[in-house]
Amino acid sequence: MGGAVSYDEITYEVSDGIATITLNRPARLNAFTLEMAHELVAAFDEVDADDSVRVVVVTGAGRGFCAGADLERGAGTFDKNAIGEVKGFGEIDGVPRDAGGAVALRIAACKKVVIGAFNGPAVGVGVTMSLPMDIRIASENAKFGFVFARRGILLEAASSWFLPRIVGISQAMEWVATGRVFDAAEARAGGLVSRVVPPDELIPAATAIAREVADNTSAVSVAVSRQVLWGMLGSPTPWDAHRADSSALLQLGAGKDAMEGVMAFLEKRAPAFPGRVSVDYPDGVPPFPGTPRAGGPVRS
């Protein structure tokens, strides 16, 4: 159950500033469905609507993170007309939107830090939808695969934009062109995840990172930083960053969180930042173009 929404294929829990979203179809290794896509988008809507949530941890129930698209429909699995995905998230340029892309772009638009905790296999959309997450850590049991060429389709979830920016074009092409499944150590070496830990240390490691954010930083500062960092990946010039920095610094520097941050430092105490993302996010800071309407006209 979530805070305001009932979920069937995920769980949503909030505790002490940390929201945990768990993909919850363990009997099918949390295979991705259209219903799961809608529930994930709704959960991230809850995250952004709740100022008490500082960090999101996304993981999977059971022994898998997400085994990719549920293939139980057989040969017609990826026929969007056949599976009704036309009715899923509207259209973009006259064709039905990719459900994985709708999830990925909703995560990209989030104003809270998102940590992916891979407890097991993450294949196909199970890994591509995680690319807009800010921090990815893996259990030693995790495996990854961009297997699309082995299924006769192509990488989705806007991952042709995200993946090369995260791991570089050469590594991205090797994984995508071969479609092979690889282990957590290779994912770490290639830059897909930032650390690999024993299985029983995965959630504690993710929680420790989340606590560092929730306990020590300004929610507004983190929200602005997240949007600007991702947004500048597509900018052709540092002047775009300079423009956004100048505008945000003018507003944040005169705000209550900056005052509290300085006084906490001078008084040698933990800060208690009063700012709220919903009301104190500065004007004029361009959001990362990851809203549901990014990329062209979308019609429901």
Side-chain angles (χ1 to χ4, degrees), residues 76 78-87 96:
F78 299 113
D79 184 341
K80 294 182 184 298
N81 290 296
I83 66 175
E85 196 162 342
V86 171
K87 300 178 181 178

Side-chain angles (χ1 to χ4, degrees), residues 283-296:
D283 296 328
V285 177
F288 173 69
T291 63
R293 293 184 175 272

Side-chain angles (χ1 to χ4, degrees), residues 32-35 69-70 72-88 96-97 99:
F32 186 85
T33 68
L34 188 58
E35 176 61 26
D70 196 320
E72 64 180 352
R73 294 183 180 85
T77 295
F78 299 113
D79 184 341
K80 294 182 184 298
N81 290 296
I83 66 175
E85 196 162 342
V86 171
K87 300 178 181 178
R97 291 183 68 205

